[in-house]
Amino acid sequence: MNNDHEGIRKHKVVRLGRPAIAAALAAGIALTGVTAASAAATSADAAANATTSAGGEFGPYGYGGVRLGMTLRQAAATRKIAKKLDGGQCSGWDLKAHPTGRNGVGLYISKDLGVAFIGAPKGVKTPEGIKVGSTMKQVKNAYPRLDTTGNYPVAAVPGNPKALYYFLSNRGKVYELALALKNQDCTN
C-alpha cells in the first residue's frame, strides 16, 4: 500500500444552505421538465413518509408510508411491507422496518377494504402522545370519549372519521396499540 500522500489533493467539504439546495433543485427541475406542482407533491409525500417512518406519529391515516384503505397492490408497491400470513378475507403483513417476530403480524390487508389494521411498533406515538407504555389515565385524558363497552377500549381518531385506535392494557398500562378502519373485517 502506498502511504505517500504527495500528489493527493485535499478536498474541502462545502455544506450547502437551503437557498443553494433550492436553486440546485430548481435547475434540475428545469432540465428534466418536471412541473413545480408535481415536484411539490413529491416533496410533500416524501416529507409525510419521513415523518411517519422515522418512528414519529402513528396515525391518523397510517404509519411508515402505509395508509389505511390502500389496496394490496398499492401497499405492496410501497415496498415497505412483507407478507407473513395468507388468510381467507385478510392477509397478515409486517412493516419491513418493524418486524413483529415469528408469531406476530404488524398489519392486516382485507380483500374488500385494503389496509384495514396497523399495529403500532414500539416507540411510536399517536399525535396526542399515546404510545405502548402509556397509562390508561393518559389514554382517557387524550381521548375523552374513549369507549370501554367492548372487549377493549377504542377511541375515534381525531382527523380521520373512518378510523379507530384500539388499546389493549394490563394493570392500567397500554401494551398494544392499533390503528384500524371502523369497519375493518380482519380482527374481532
Side-chain angles (χ1 to χ4, degrees):
M1 181 174 189
N2 183 2
N3 290 330
D4 184 12
H5 296 293
E6 289 185 47
I8 297 176
R9 294 182 183 173
K10 291 187 179 184
H11 296 282
K12 187 175 183 179
V13 174
V14 178
R15 300 209 183 265
L16 298 176
R18 286 183 186 203
I21 292 171
L25 286 172
I29 289 169
L31 289 173
T32 62
V34 174
T35 66
S38 67
T42 301
S43 295
D45 288 346
N49 286 341
T51 299
T52 57
S53 64
E57 288 187 358
F58 181 71
Y61 291 96
Y63 179 76
V66 179
R67 295 173 60 93
L68 290 175
M70 276 184 161
T71 65
L72 172 57
R73 178 179 239 151
Q74 290 169 327
T78 67
R79 295 188 174 152
K80 296 178 184 243
I81 62 173
K83 193 169 198 174
K84 298 265 309 241
L85 170 68
D86 279 321
Q89 180 60 25
C90 298
S91 52
W93 300 74
D94 267 351
L95 290 166
K96 288 181 181 177
H98 303 282
T100 59
R102 184 178 197 134
N103 297 319
V105 173
L107 62 101
Y108 286 99
I109 301 178
S110 164
K111 287 182 179 178
D112 297 331
L113 304 172
V115 175
F117 182 98
I118 305 171
K122 288 182 183 173
V124 301
K125 296 179 183 180
T126 68
E128 296 75 32
I130 301 302
K131 62 181 182 172
V132 169
S134 293
T135 66
M136 286 308 295
K137 183 177 180 181
Q138 291 170 317
V139 172
K140 288 175 187 172
N141 287 338
Y143 307 101
R145 294 185 175 190
L146 185 70
D147 180 357
T148 58
T149 59
N151 294 334
Y152 39 82
V154 297
V157 176
N160 186 352
K162 295 181 178 181
L164 293 171
Y165 285 123
Y166 292 36
F167 304 97
L168 277 71
S169 65
N170 187 20
R171 297 182 186 211
K173 287 205 172 187
V174 175
Y175 70 88
E176 221 172 286
L177 165 64
L179 173 68
L181 292 173
K182 282 184 179 178
N183 62 338
Q184 65 91 10
D185 54 0
C186 296
T187 66
N188 58 6

